Amino acid sequence: MKKNKLWGAGATMLLAIALVVSGCGAKNDNNGGGSASNDSASNGSAGGSEESGIIKDIKDRGKLIVGVKYDTKLFGLKDTASGNVEGFDIDISKAIAKKIFGDESKIELKEVTSKTRIQMLDNGDIDLIVATMTITDERKKQVDFSDVYFKAGQSLLVKQGSPITGLKDITKDSKVLGVKGATSIKNIEDKVPGLRVMQFENYQEAFAALKAGKGDTLTTDNAILYGMAKQDPGYTVVGGTFTDEPYGIAAKKGNTDLVALVNETLKEMKDSGEYATIYEKWIGEKPPTE
Amino acid sequence: MLDFSVLTNNIDDYLEGFKYTIYASLLGLAGSFVLGTLIAVFRISPFAALRGFGTAYVEFFRNIPLLLVVFLFYYGLSSFGLQLDGFTSGTLGLMVYTSSFIAEAIRAGIQSVPAGQMEAARSTGLTYVQAMRFIILPQAVRIVIPPISNQFLNLVKNSSILGVFAGLDLMYFGDQVNLDTYDAVSTYLFVGMFYLILTFPLAYATRVLERRMANAA
Amino acid sequence: MDFGGAYSWHNLRFILEGFGYTLKLAFVAIILSFVLGVASGVIRYARIPVLSAIVGAIVETLRNLPLLLLILFAYIALPQMGIKLSIFWASVLALTAFEAAMISEIVRSGLASVHKGLIEAARSSGLTYIQTLRHIILPIGLRRMVPPTVSQFISLLKDTSLAVIISAPELMHNVGIVRGQQESYFFPVIFLAALLYFLVNYGLSLLSKRLEVNEGARRKPTGKKAGPGAGTKAAAEA
């Protein structure tokens, strides 16, 4: 407690100073100190000795900390009755914990949103992101991805009876809803020039906005949309998929050992049929064959 | 630490957001002043029903978070078929929320004018409204200007709530820039800089007004 | 509207858990921001060379930025500068930085409102500057600051709702999750959230009003009505 408060006080001063510097000292371009310490920090985590350290750190800690969604039915949804978070991503995370500890309960789940997850990973708050995260080249610069563990594609969710039946009905004046930090925003804005997607903090908010009539359609990966349609049968997924969204599990850049372990877990799960079981349990159909 | 290319590469986003922040602030300012004055008049009116309404209004909106007020406008009204976008809901929320503080400031200002003055004015034959208009309000205005300008300062800062409702303000576009650049430090420091461009002059004006009031008193 | 479903016992428990987090967050931030706010306010009033100017610049900057920005900065940007805080402590840091700056201003202008003649009289009667500060200015000034400071605490409690943006499991966050279960839950859960905030804040504001009345009664004989103190009070309410 005491140490944390000191941290707080120290950080307050730093924050304040940083803001003052930006506000008043625009001409001050000597930020050597800041960048130097940043460099050494990133070198440290990417260094050879660290690579084998992450799994040892996790084992020493006694639990794996995974960032998951709390608001996404089928993948990661908080159930207020049981107090648990449940979904496909959760079951995959548990399998990884089981691989490390031989016990799937040695896991701590933390809530992430599309907006916060990469920074939480960098921060060291979480060891892995298992949160409906699409593998992209852009993100590969930020994090290390596992093999694909789920194949999604972007689609559209509309109210039953909506005139929108697919991407062809979307114009630049359509009111399209999405989530900050999701790849789906850029995808659809590229496909429909001039379109500006209205973006919310998380899927919960975006779906609430759709239900409140704030938009004509909500766009993101079909898997997430199916969860919403299941939650409220007044809504339906239309038009098939118009992108490929391969989901990957992300680890902090340089944690290659952890990524290898995740890949091994995924392979074992597929070989043993456990993957298919989990897939069917949540998605309601057999996983597509490779 | 501070990467100016974040600013230069995304200047369009920043300026777009800055524009809407200014719009929301100006609209919120005008709306909350009008609404606040009206509620203040209710609060001190001779009619119990109006006083009751004014009191309920002030106490309700002053004691719940702005986030909840905007929620009511954004989601609540759509249940009754009134569809408002994030910018409009956010701006209306700002107006209503801020007006409760402004009403309180104005009421306190009016009541700080000694009651004897109202009685004296009425006895010279002025009506209640005339007495208010020519005797009480001119004196009260001087007292309430500093606290009101402080409320406007708060309003500008609070306009950042629009970002949560896709309200296209600085905060909203700040998030967009951060997701493009992954340089949160530079992104948000520049967002802060834009807010300071608006708030520093306001804060300075408030300080000057407060000082002037203190000297006059 | 479906009050029965929305208020099922596990939903209520979950929402109250969120409220507990809100109260915890507010409590820690109130203590820290009060200490830092009073200290920095006194430093600014005392016009200590260099130190007062530095503290003043920090306070003025923090006070003029949106809290929402500070919360995001504390949680998303500080880690990039090597300062890593949990969701709770990032929220505490941002709230404390912002509210301490607001309280600092209340304290500074409260002290500045102490009549100059009184200070001169004290000095001419042989008290040193420190003694005057300690025995004359602080007791009078601090008494005037109580109502606006309580108002600031009310603001702080409301402001904790902004931590929802970094997924802090506070009241608004948990209310959001329950509301997601069914569209008809919107009004019931929003009503409950408003009621919880209202009860605590209204209680605090009644307390503040009582303190104000006492203060007013004490001040009346001097014939001074709404001086700068009134401005300070309204300034605090955000």
Side-chain angles (χ1 to χ4, degrees), chain C residues 5 64 78 213:
Chain C
N64 287 304
L78 283 190
V213 169

Side-chain angles (χ1 to χ4, degrees), chain C residues 190-224:
Chain C
I190 290 294
F191 173 76
L192 181 59
L195 185 72
L196 289 171
Y197 282 114
F198 182 83
L199 285 178
V200 176
N201 283 334
Y202 191 63
L204 277 171
S205 74
L206 286 183
L207 177 76
S208 165
K209 216 161 272 174
R210 271 191 56 168
L211 294 166
E212 209 173 332
V213 169
N214 291 343
E215 171 61 12
R218 204 177 287 129
R219 243 193 306 170
K220 210 160 213 162
T222 69
K224 201 159 179 254

Side-chain angles (χ1 to χ4, degrees), chain A:
Chain A
M1 272 302 265
K2 202 178 167 201
K3 194 170 150 243
N4 275 332
K5 277 185 191 167
L6 282 174
W7 251 114
T12 307
M13 298 303 283
L14 273 168
L15 172 63
I17 290 163
L19 289 167
V20 171
V21 165
S22 79
C24 320
K27 64 177 184 290
N28 176 12
D29 50 9
N30 174 22
N31 25 8
S35 55
S37 65
N38 272 349
D39 286 352
S40 62
S42 54
N43 282 343
S45 59
S49 60
E50 286 276 324
E51 281 179 19
S52 55
I54 179 71
I55 294 171
K56 189 178 173 296
D57 286 351
I58 293 168
K59 282 187 172 155
D60 288 348
R61 189 199 300 138
K63 64 185 178 192
L64 176 70
I65 306 178
V66 185
V68 297
K69 297 273 177 76
Y70 274 32
D71 67 341
T72 310
K73 201 175 170 81
L74 304 184
F75 284 85
L77 184 72
K78 174 96 176 177
D79 178 1
T80 58
S82 66
N84 294 331
V85 188
E86 293 161 354
F88 184 77
D89 283 344
I90 314 305
D91 286 355
I92 296 281
S93 305
K94 283 179 180 168
I96 299 166
K98 195 174 174 186
K99 170 83 179 168
I100 298 174
F101 295 105
D103 178 356
E104 66 165 35
S105 68
K106 296 212 165 163
I107 192 166
E108 182 184 340
L109 301 173
K110 281 198 180 170
E111 180 177 6
V112 299
T113 64
S114 301
K115 189 168 115 184
T116 60
R117 59 191 170 193
I118 289 183
Q119 270 132 350
M120 283 179 77
L121 189 67
D122 276 346
N123 196 346
D125 272 356
I126 50 180
D127 301 317
L128 292 169
I129 300 171
V130 190
T132 63
M133 188 173 183
T134 304
I135 301 171
T136 64
D137 289 341
E138 188 66 28
R139 285 179 182 157
K140 278 181 188 163
K141 293 180 206 155
Q142 317 287 330
V143 299
D144 282 348
F145 277 111
S146 71
D147 297 339
V148 177
Y149 76 99
F150 188 89
K151 283 179 181 159
Q154 189 172 346
S155 193
L156 301 168
L157 181 75
V158 296
K159 203 181 172 101
Q160 295 276 11
S162 160
I164 294 175
T165 58
L167 186 63
K168 62 178 172 30
D169 298 322
I170 305 291
T171 68
K172 72 176 178 49
D173 297 319
S174 299
K175 285 185 185 165
V176 178
L177 311 175
V179 171
K180 287 175 186 170
T183 46
S184 45
I185 306 297
K186 201 173 175 322
N187 292 339
I188 196 162
E189 284 183 352
D190 285 349
K191 285 191 179 4
V192 184
L195 177 71
R196 298 288 283 275
V197 178
M198 288 189 273
Q199 298 165 48
F200 294 82
E201 300 299 319
N202 55 43
Y203 288 109
Q204 183 96 53
E205 285 300 316
F207 189 33
L210 180 71
K211 287 194 282 190
K214 301 298 172 188
D216 307 319
T217 179
L218 167 58
T219 188
T220 186
D221 307 336
N222 56 350
I224 299 169
L225 296 178
Y226 281 124
M228 292 176 180
K230 202 168 193 176
Q231 215 168 347
D232 189 331
Y235 292 82
T236 183
V237 181
V238 294
T241 60
F242 51 88
T243 65
D244 290 322
E245 305 288 335
Y247 288 173
I249 295 169
K252 192 169 175 172
K253 201 109 193 97
N255 284 343
T256 42
D257 283 14
L258 188 57
V259 174
L261 181 136
V262 169
N263 285 338
E264 210 175 305
T265 312
L266 290 174
K267 191 172 178 307
E268 284 171 14
M269 286 174 78
K270 280 180 181 164
D271 292 348
S272 70
E274 191 188 349
Y275 179 84
T277 312
I278 294 175
Y279 195 102
E280 261 195 273
K281 172 179 160 196
W282 293 106
I283 313 303
E285 57 187 55
K286 290 197 187 313
T289 44
E290 302 283 324

